């Protein structure tokens, strides 16, 4: 009887772990897409026009800055929730005063969850915009690269980034999208 109970508990834990990991991966991909969009938006590139779905599925893991942001943000959320619960349980009077007494209302728990959600969305958007600005500054301060085509013609410029199929290159004020595996040599972005 004990074996069946342990086996059932183990199976339930595995199912919950699979669900948590799936949700965490989808969450990471969404954050990766947001950050990648803002990274290229700084150069007036709509990355959704050029990227493949595979580029977004690996986005959180292809850029360590995004990966560290996801890990740090998750830790920050957990710390905020734990801190809020600790403050509420340890100092209920101060917590009530801090919340202007609305913590006594029946709708406060939903309000708190919705507030955390909207603050987190705002935090994500502002962080993605800051990351895009930071990335643009890094690109503009980087050293130019040289790309040699199959016909031995070369192109110099600053590497903005690349997808599975395209390299984005900034040459002065000109922005180029260079296909990696195609008969097309290059095309200039507006």
């Amino acid at each position: 009887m004990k074996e069946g109970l342990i086996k059932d508990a183990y199976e339930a834990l595995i199912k919950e772990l699979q669900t948590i990991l799936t949700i965490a991966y989808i969450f990471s991909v969404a954050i990766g897409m947001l950050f990648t969009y803002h990274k290229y938006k700084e150069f007036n590139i709509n990355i959704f026009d050029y990227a493949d779905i595979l580029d977004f599925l690996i986005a959180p893991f292809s850029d360590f800055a995004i990966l560290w942001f996801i890990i740090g943000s998750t830790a920050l959320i957990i710390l905020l929730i734990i801190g809020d619960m600790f403050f509420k349980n340890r100092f209920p009077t101060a917590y009530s005063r801090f919340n202007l007494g609305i913590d006594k209302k029946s709708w406060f728990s939903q309000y708190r969850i919705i507030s955390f959600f909207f603050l987190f969305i705002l935090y994500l958007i502002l962080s993605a915009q800051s990351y895009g600005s930071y990335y643009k500054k890094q690109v503009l301060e980087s050293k130019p690269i040289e790309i040699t085509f199959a016909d031995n013609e070369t192109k110099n410029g600053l590497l903005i980034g690349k997808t599975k199929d395209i390299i984005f290159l900034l040459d002065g004020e000109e922005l180029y999208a260079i296909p990696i595996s195609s008969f097309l040599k290059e095309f200039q972005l507006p």
Side-chain angles (χ1 to χ4, degrees), residues 38-39 42-43 63 65 129-145 157-161 170:
H38 281 284
K39 175 172 131 176
E42 287 290 320
F43 296 97
D63 189 345
Q129 290 172 347
S130 296
Y131 172 73
S133 298
Y134 169 77
Y135 187 79
K136 182 176 184 177
K137 181 180 174 192
Q138 293 297 105
V139 167
L140 295 176
E141 292 175 355
S142 67
K143 293 182 180 182
I145 64 165
L158 300 174
L159 179 65
I160 295 172
L170 181 65

Side-chain angles (χ1 to χ4, degrees), residues 40 47 50-52 55 58 145 147-151 159-169 176-187:
Y40 288 102
I47 194 62
Y50 301 100
D52 191 347
D55 293 318
I58 63 169
I145 64 165
I147 295 178
T148 305
F149 296 102
D151 63 355
L159 179 65
I160 295 172
K162 70 181 207 66
T163 64
K164 187 179 96 179
D165 299 320
I166 297 175
I167 296 174
F168 296 100
L169 199 65
Y176 295 96
I178 303 169
I180 293 175
S181 58
S182 165
F183 294 109
L184 184 64
K185 193 173 188 179
E186 68 183 39
F187 57 94

Side-chain angles (χ1 to χ4, degrees), residues 46-180:
N46 183 0
I47 194 62
F48 295 111
D49 291 338
Y50 301 100
D52 191 347
I53 187 69
L54 208 57
D55 293 318
F56 291 116
L57 292 177
I58 63 169
F61 311 107
S62 64
D63 189 345
F64 284 115
I66 297 172
L67 184 62
W68 285 115
F69 176 81
I70 292 169
I71 292 169
S73 294
T74 304
L76 179 69
I77 291 169
I78 291 169
L79 286 175
L80 283 174
I81 291 171
I82 290 172
D84 186 60
M85 289 188 312
F86 174 77
F87 187 44
K88 181 180 180 182
N89 294 334
R90 181 78 176 187
F91 307 104
T93 307
Y95 186 81
S96 185
R97 268 189 260 143
F98 181 75
N99 286 297
L100 305 173
I102 63 171
D103 63 316
K104 305 291 186 209
K105 305 287 185 188
S106 61
W107 45 264
F108 181 73
S109 60
Q110 290 89 6
Y111 166 76
R112 191 172 71 172
I113 292 169
I114 291 169
S115 295
F116 271 128
F117 177 75
F118 281 117
L119 284 173
F120 183 66
I121 296 297
L122 180 64
Y123 167 72
L124 281 179
I125 291 169
L126 293 175
S127 298
Q129 290 172 347
S130 296
Y131 172 73
S133 298
Y134 169 77
Y135 187 79
K136 182 176 184 177
K137 181 180 174 192
Q138 293 297 105
V139 167
L140 295 176
E141 292 175 355
S142 67
K143 293 182 180 182
I145 64 165
E146 181 177 85
I147 295 178
T148 305
F149 296 102
D151 63 355
N152 286 331
E153 183 183 336
T154 60
K155 186 89 155 158
N156 294 321
L158 300 174
L159 179 65
I160 295 172
K162 70 181 207 66
T163 64
K164 187 179 96 179
D165 299 320
I166 297 175
I167 296 174
F168 296 100
L169 199 65
L170 181 65
D171 185 14
E173 293 294 317
E174 303 294 321
L175 186 60
Y176 295 96
I178 303 169
I180 293 175

